[in-house]
Amino acid sequence: MKRTWKATRRGSAFGPLTGAPFDVPAFLARPLVARLATDGPVVRPVWYLWEDESFWVFTGSWSRLPDRLARNPAFELVVDVCDPGTGLTRQVVASGRGRTVAFDTARARRKLVRYLGPDESRWDARFALSESTAASGALWARFDPDVLRVADLSFTPSAIEPGTVVAHD
């Protein structure tokens, strides 16, 4: 089985992400945390939405991310899972250019449903959406990868009992 794979954007699209060691769109549709690195370097954990072959992250006037992207739009982002109990280890690493764009409430709702569930009445008040959200300074940071590196580094776990803490020097 192929364990690593690389896709390069051709023009405005990657096209079908076939040939990867696992279903990349399904993996990126999961509510995982990505780590985003921008100018500095500055690394931050982010909730994201993979849509239109781009990663979408909330930002706005409260953040330095818009200024960082204006100065230098280069980014790297990794979405990964590692479960030592099962050995499942997968990653998608994206690199390209980012920019800020106008806030879109419908896109924001799609993103938040992934992480918070479909019942908005149960969401923490900090995530309340309205048409005035953009007026509060909210923006989208859109990260358009030029390259996606995909790896399945899964392994057969050892016979260590689940829940055992292994000390390292």
Side-chain angles (χ1 to χ4, degrees):
M1 173 175 87
K2 185 183 273 189
R3 298 180 64 86
T4 61
W5 180 77
K6 178 179 165 183
T8 303
R9 187 180 294 267
R10 305 255 187 248
S12 64
F14 287 102
L17 298 175
T18 56
F22 55 89
D23 185 338
V24 175
F27 178 77
L28 295 177
R30 295 175 56 196
L32 300 170
V33 173
R35 268 122 5 244
L36 170 66
T38 57
D39 184 38
V42 173
V43 178
R44 64 185 49 81
V46 294
W47 286 355
Y48 68 91
L49 181 66
W50 171 253
E51 197 170 84
D52 300 329
E53 295 189 347
S54 297
F55 291 93
W56 299 82
V57 173
F58 290 151
T59 193
S61 57
W62 62 86
S63 172
R64 292 186 290 180
L65 183 57
D67 292 335
R68 289 185 182 282
L69 290 175
R71 256 193 334 269
N72 181 353
F75 79 91
E76 288 231 345
L77 179 143
V78 62
V79 180
D80 62 348
V81 294
C82 179
D83 183 344
T86 65
L88 180 68
T89 306
R90 292 180 172 168
Q91 60 185 222
V92 173
V93 179
S95 57
R97 300 175 68 77
R99 59 187 155 79
T100 57
V101 297
F103 193 77
D104 174 352
T105 304
R107 187 183 306 272
R109 188 165 281 108
R110 289 191 299 275
K111 175 186 169 184
L112 289 175
V113 162
R114 288 172 18 114
Y115 291 94
L116 303 173
D119 186 353
E120 291 183 47
S121 69
R122 299 180 54 117
W123 294 2
D124 185 293
R126 292 176 293 172
F127 301 108
L129 293 171
S130 71
E131 294 307 317
S132 65
T133 303
S136 70
L139 296 167
W140 279 107
R142 179 180 179 158
F143 297 96
D144 299 315
D146 296 318
V147 175
L148 292 176
R149 290 180 224 55
V150 178
D152 185 338
L153 305 171
S154 298
F155 60 93
T156 302
S158 63
I160 296 174
E161 284 290 316
T164 302
V165 176
V166 179
H168 297 280
D169 292 336

